[in-house]
Amino acid sequence: MADDDLLEKVHSLSDLELAILLCLVNREHVLISTPPAAIDDLVQELQLIASKTFNLQSVVVNCHPSTTLEDFACALLLQPQQPPLFNATTVSRSASPFARADSYFALNSQPNQQHRSSTPLSLRTTTPFSASPQIAHFVIAKNLDRAPRVVQIQALELLRTRRIFTRTSVQAAPKQFVFVPVLGAASGGEAHVTAHLNDFFSVAHWHNPDDGYVNLDEAEGRSDGEDATASTESVVKKGMTPSTALISDIDISHLAKLSQEVQIDVDILRYQMNIISFLRMHRAVAGGISPAATKHLHQLVKSLAPLHKLDFVTPALVGLAVRKVYLHRIRITEPEKERSMQWGSQLEAVEALLEDVGPEEVIEEVLEMVTAPP
């Protein structure tokens, strides 16, 4: 069970920070969406989360319809800092009192004595050590859904193999590696990327701008008057004290170990499978309830338990995990393809039934239909 100090740090995190933490614990990746007008603030907040909360180096990949594979691969890399050049003429030492003026070791050698020249014998002393660039630990792919299909497939290959081919080399992803697409959408259920890449993301998170930007507000020193305009119903309010927690690699490894020790009762497992079946058979769902989603759901419920100081899974944790795992996966069917149309339903009636129905509504309806174990 996690110690109280670690739990106190975890409970002080914002929703965005918790989403990143769960991905680091499970070695998975998260898709984050927000209204298009707020996407720049969200990207800055994620950069601060990477550096302040998890001490990870981040890069931002700005995607657009003309992004090439080379642009994408180069944007993932952190350029190494070059060490200062070694200059032999700046090296000084105290002269020996026993050195003669005509000595080989004299510092004030005569210019006509070639063997006393202070010129470096090799160019190696003036050449800096060349370090190859590395893939960043925290990659923010802004507007990845706008990138060409080939670029999104390249992103899938990076996540699947944890390496990417550039023009001159093969770059491997670091041990702690999180890939975060940031998409602009009207709701979390409308944020998608290419189908196979979309299914590879373990969870999705919708960030409402009214929930605030904890680290960004702290960095910019926004006034209390601006903070007071935040929604009073938000989970993370702008007026709250910003999180100062720093989650180390040791903390992440400890939480990962605890999640592997979590037990799932057979009734909870049956409840979990019933939810999956009801989602798959829902008349508004065209697809998205994949085997990969089932694996991610099982993984997420086990990693949520230690954060609540539990070593077992509860129905409430299953409901929370379902909302995160299937938000970006569920695809709503078109009225013409709704299954009751095969038995003579009127198109107008089906259109009225599916109006304003999205993944969020489907998930909530299924959670109400499936009876949770006592």
Side-chain angles (χ1 to χ4, degrees), residues 29 72-73 76-77 134-136 153-166 169-175 177 179 200:
H29 311 277
F72 178 76
L76 298 172
L77 304 179
Q134 302 291 330
I135 295 179
I153 293 174
Q154 183 72 13
L156 173 61
E157 189 69 10
L158 168 65
L159 302 186
R160 190 181 65 85
T161 64
R162 297 182 67 87
R163 63 181 182 179
I164 193 169
F165 292 88
T166 64
S169 63
V170 179
Q171 297 292 339
K175 180 180 179 181
F177 176 62
F179 188 88
F200 204 89

Side-chain angles (χ1 to χ4, degrees), residues 241-261:
T241 303
S243 170
T244 57
L246 179 63
I247 307 298
S248 65
D249 291 345
I250 297 177
D251 295 333
I252 294 172
S253 299
H254 183 55
L255 290 174
K257 181 180 179 181
L258 291 176
S259 66
Q260 296 174 359
E261 300 171 355

Side-chain angles (χ1 to χ4, degrees), residues 155-230:
L156 173 61
E157 189 69 10
L158 168 65
L159 302 186
R160 190 181 65 85
T161 64
R162 297 182 67 87
R163 63 181 182 179
I164 193 169
F165 292 88
T166 64
R167 184 179 300 176
T168 58
S169 63
V170 179
Q171 297 292 339
K175 180 180 179 181
Q176 293 287 9
F177 176 62
V178 181
F179 188 88
V180 185
V182 179
L183 312 182
S187 65
E190 297 182 12
H192 304 287
V193 289
T194 303
H196 293 290
L197 175 61
N198 194 81
D199 195 38
F200 204 89
F201 291 109
S202 173
V203 295
H205 177 72
W206 165 259
H207 183 74
N208 192 327
D210 292 337
D211 292 343
Y213 306 93
V214 177
N215 295 279
L216 186 60
D217 290 348
E218 180 184 13
E220 294 182 351
R222 294 180 178 175
S223 63
D224 294 337
E226 292 176 337
D227 294 342
T229 62

Side-chain angles (χ1 to χ4, degrees), residues 64 148 181 212-213 265 278 317 369:
H64 45 80
Y213 306 93
D265 187 77
F278 273 68
L317 293 182
M369 293 170 59

Side-chain angles (χ1 to χ4, degrees), residues 232-246:
T232 57
E233 298 179 356
S234 64
V235 177
V236 182
K237 304 180 179 62
K238 289 187 178 181
M240 294 177 63
T241 303
S243 170
T244 57
L246 179 63

